[in-house]
Amino acid sequence: MTEDLPALRASDADRERVAEILRDAVAEGRLAMEEFDERLDAAYQARTYRELEVLTADLPAGAAAPAPLSLRKESAAPAPWAERIVDGTQGSSVGLALMSGFQRKGRWTIGRRFTAACLMGGGEIDLREADFAGPEVVITCWAVMGGVNILVPPGVGVEVRGVGIMGGFDAREEGVPGEPGAPRVIVKGLAMMGGVGVERKLPRAEKQRLKEERRRLKEERRRLDGHPREELG
């Protein structure tokens, strides 16, 4: 079924719909908590319909049960990236770590051009909750006997162009297609006896929400297990 649309991008609404299906399934006893945790994590990190469909393909599609994800819909809900790309704003443009460190995290605005210079020190550029001064930002890293770690949220496109001399640039996230309307991050520069890493992680608020949701579901499951099955019908 998914062969027709192998690379169609999933929206936030699609991921949330699958999460609801999984919550219903664990509440009904169809999924163990361990399997639910694995599938829920996979749902929020999924990029395409194909990745989402396999998470619900073995759940019943009867009238009393949630149906598996349907890939046949007219259009996808737009991602909220437009609210985070703020053209006309200068934003932060420099991070320096000279035998020390720097951090840019939380709600901040990264400029179209950002330079990170680390000499015997380290820097962290966390873009998971950041706004972007344009649809494309270029981060130039100079890491000499130091390092820079860049955190990007799911959906952001990444391109790595850096050069390493007795050091390196982590390009594992390069080539992953970005979501429609999402910003693009280009990482370049030089790492000499140091390194530049790029990691893709969920925003803190989303991770906290998942943690609270798991706690709620575990409490609900314990409550349900404490009643005879006939009382649940």
Side-chain angles (χ1 to χ4, degrees):
M1 185 164 96
T2 53
E3 283 75 6
D4 297 341
L5 304 168
L8 192 59
R9 306 292 295 185
S11 69
D12 288 342
D14 297 322
R15 285 182 277 271
E16 189 58 39
R17 183 183 173 201
V18 169
E20 287 299 326
I21 292 174
L22 296 175
R23 292 183 190 110
D24 289 342
V26 75
E28 294 170 355
R30 302 182 190 279
L31 290 178
M33 284 303 304
E34 294 77 9
E35 189 174 12
F36 167 76
D37 289 343
E38 294 175 1
R39 294 196 190 193
L40 191 63
D41 285 339
Y44 281 112
Q45 296 180 40
R47 300 184 179 93
T48 66
Y49 278 178
R50 172 175 289 177
E51 293 174 88
L52 287 176
E53 188 189 44
V54 298
L55 300 176
T56 59
D58 60 347
L59 297 178
L69 177 68
S70 171
L71 304 188
R72 307 300 181 182
K73 64 180 197 173
E74 297 300 322
S75 62
W81 294 114
E83 301 175 6
R84 297 178 59 180
I85 299 178
V86 286
D87 284 315
T89 302
Q90 183 174 354
S92 178
S93 60
V94 177
L96 298 176
L98 305 179
M99 300 179 68
S100 60
F102 78 84
Q103 282 187 329
R104 297 289 186 275
K105 63 180 182 178
R107 196 62 186 266
W108 64 293
T109 301
I110 184 171
R112 288 176 176 266
R113 299 290 184 270
F114 187 95
T115 300
C118 296
L119 174 60
M120 299 177 67
E124 180 180 77
I125 304 171
D126 190 341
L127 301 177
R128 291 176 294 173
E129 300 172 19
D131 291 332
F132 298 78
E136 179 178 283
V137 300
V138 178
I139 302 176
T140 303
C141 301
W142 304 101
V144 180
M145 292 188 289
V148 181
N149 191 39
I150 302 170
L151 301 177
V152 299
V156 170
V158 177
E159 181 177 341
V160 179
R161 305 175 182 172
V163 176
I165 300 177
M166 298 179 68
F169 277 71
D170 185 352
R172 286 177 295 177
E173 296 299 334
E174 184 176 26
V176 177
E179 292 180 355
R184 182 163 169 257
V185 176
I186 298 175
V187 181
K188 64 179 185 177
L190 174 69
M192 179 178 292
M193 294 170 48
V196 176
V198 181
E199 296 182 76
R200 196 179 299 273
K201 291 186 175 182
L202 289 172
R204 293 185 183 87
E206 183 61 28
K207 292 175 68 175
Q208 182 62 31
R209 191 183 74 80
L210 290 175
K211 182 178 179 181
E212 293 174 356
E213 181 68 18
R214 289 172 187 151
R215 186 186 305 117
R216 183 187 69 80
L217 287 169
K218 287 178 180 179
E219 292 175 355
E220 183 177 348
R221 186 64 183 275
R222 282 197 296 268
R223 180 181 64 82
L224 293 173
D225 288 344
H227 292 76
R229 283 293 175 181
E230 56 270 17
E231 294 183 12
L232 299 180

